[in-house]
Amino acid sequence: GFNERVVECRLAAKLIAKIKGKDWNPVCKLLEVQKMLNCELHDMPTIVQDCLHKHPYTNKELCELFGIAEGQLVQSALAEMSPQAKEAAGKLPEFKLYQRASHVFEEAYRVVQFKEATNSGNVSSAIATELGELMSNSHKSCSDYYQCSCPQLDDLVSICMSSGALGSRLTGAGWGGCTVSIVPEEVSGNFMKNVVECFYKKPQDLA
């Protein structure tokens, strides 16, 4: 859940800082690493690729990389975190640092791209398509890299897309909730009908 992602993002930030030869101890956020390295936001995904491997890190591996005693990851690298986050860290069998850091930086850059695309105030069909792609890529990253979606949200996004949306994504913190979609006005009527028929009239497993 939420606390686990906070832990993984903090460890990713600290590890990137250490690999880049910076003082990793005071680092708390991935944004701090970007500022520390004096890099542009769009450059950070490449830095993540260069510094972190894709397969999950173990507690033992992270202790070795940080140069701390085995079993002291929470006490040494996460000492400043909340009790809830420390508890979450202690229960995690592995840490997906590459995926979490990639999502954070790529998502932040998608926000920049979305804002730039809408700056003119005139959203053409081409711009609407671009915005839809950004939203759909955002949801895919939320689902695959940050893993803050859920089967019901993934299903709803898929139904929205097949019903005529240009893009769709979860909204809110994730792990349940709602979706938001970009839908051309000319298909909005059929869109709502299809979504109701294909999702809201079906029994949902909310366990």
Side-chain angles (χ1 to χ4, degrees), residues 109-169:
Y109 189 51
R110 278 189 286 269
V111 172
V112 172
Q113 291 174 296
F114 199 100
K115 181 178 182 298
E116 290 176 347
T118 57
N119 274 343
S120 68
N122 181 24
V123 180
S124 65
S125 59
I127 291 177
T129 298
E130 178 186 352
L131 298 178
E133 289 177 357
L134 288 170
M135 289 180 66
S136 293
N137 289 339
S138 172
H139 184 79
K140 180 173 175 55
S141 183
C142 286
S143 182
D144 296 344
Y145 269 19
Y146 211 64
Q147 293 181 295
C148 64
S149 185
C150 65
Q152 294 85 358
L153 277 175
D154 291 342
D155 187 28
L156 182 54
V157 164
S158 178
I159 290 170
C160 288
M161 293 301 295
S162 65
S163 299
L166 298 177
S168 188
R169 74 181 296 278

Side-chain angles (χ1 to χ4, degrees), residues 51-68:
C51 294
L52 306 177
H53 56 63
K54 292 185 178 181
H55 55 275
Y57 291 79
T58 63
N59 190 302
K60 179 180 179 181
E61 181 182 8
L62 287 173
C63 287
E64 291 174 351
L65 289 168
F66 285 121
I68 56 181

